């Protein structure tokens, strides 16, 4: 079964946290898909990854860039895996029917948005019922990720 990690944003925005998480994937040689809630949001995140840090570079692309097979990180609003990724990031409430196609799925949600928290709780239960291995990560006071709960 797929390992699914829930990342509860409380101290950082998605724009701050996502590059950090993607850097870890890239550093391990893992390919990733970032699935956003809309095409506009996927494009916004794509542009953000070009400018988030003037000392780092995350190789990435989207449908406008093309050549998905050459992109270690692919940003999209579609439920697709055109770059052969083993890691899926679901952001802004995006939902995939294909979580079982990945080794790792990262659900990243805004802890300051009650609707996002409620939806994350519902997805946790659905994933648990489907037999996936789950982990819940929360930002500490210092901004580091701390694993708070596991299931499955």
């Amino acid at each position: 079964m797929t390992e699914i990690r829930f990342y509860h944003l409380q101290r950082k925005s998605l724009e701050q946290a996502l590059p950090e998480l993607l850097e870890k994937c890239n550093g391990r040689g893992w390919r990733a898909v970032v699935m956003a809630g809309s095409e506009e949001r996927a494009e916004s995140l794509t542009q953000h990854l070009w400018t988030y840090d003037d000392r780092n570079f995350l190789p990435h692309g989207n449908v406008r860039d093309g050549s998905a097979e050459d992109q270690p990180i692919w940003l999209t609003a579609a439920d697709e895996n055109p770059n052969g990724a083993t890691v899926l990031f679901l952001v802004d409430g995006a939902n995939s029917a294909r979580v079982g196609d990945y080794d790792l799925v990262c659900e990243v949600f805004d802890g300051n948005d009650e609707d996002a928290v409620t939806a994350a709780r519902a997805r946790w239960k659905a994933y648990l019922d489907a037999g996936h291995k789950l982990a819940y990560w929360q930002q500490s006071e210092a901004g580091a990720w701390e694993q708070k709960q596991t299931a499955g």
Side-chain angles (χ1 to χ4, degrees):
M1 281 291 167
T2 300
E3 178 183 352
I4 300 175
R5 297 178 187 169
F6 285 75
Y7 288 94
H8 188 161
L9 299 173
Q10 292 180 294
R11 307 202 184 304
K12 293 182 179 180
S13 68
L14 177 64
E15 287 78 7
Q16 293 169 311
L18 184 61
E20 294 172 0
L21 295 169
L22 290 172
E23 284 174 358
K24 290 181 182 187
C25 283
N26 193 54
R28 293 179 174 129
W30 298 346
R31 296 174 77 79
V33 168
V34 177
M35 186 176 161
S38 69
E39 287 295 334
E40 295 79 17
R41 184 65 161 144
E43 179 62 28
S44 174
L45 290 171
T46 300
Q47 295 308 313
H48 176 68
L49 291 181
W50 289 114
T51 60
Y52 79 97
D53 185 340
D54 60 1
R55 295 166 300 183
N56 287 330
F57 171 73
L58 277 169
H60 67 282
N62 64 12
V63 70
R64 288 181 50 201
D65 301 315
S67 301
E69 65 280 357
D70 296 328
Q71 306 291 349
I73 299 168
W74 186 255
L75 292 100
T76 185
D79 195 0
E80 62 181 352
N81 186 359
N83 66 336
T86 58
V87 180
L88 172 64
F89 284 86
L90 296 170
V91 302
D92 294 334
N95 191 15
S96 174
R98 301 170 40 174
V99 296
D101 294 348
Y102 296 89
D103 296 335
L104 173 63
V105 173
C106 300
E107 289 262 1
V108 185
F109 66 99
D110 183 352
N112 299 309
D113 178 340
E114 192 56 41
D115 291 339
V117 172
T118 300
R121 287 182 181 137
R123 286 191 308 275
W124 175 281
K125 182 177 180 340
Y127 290 141
L128 188 60
D129 291 347
H132 296 287
K133 180 182 174 188
L134 307 178
Y136 170 73
W137 294 78
Q138 189 176 53
Q139 290 172 318
S140 70
E141 290 289 329
W145 291 105
E146 295 179 352
Q147 187 173 349
K148 297 289 189 174
Q149 184 177 356
T150 60

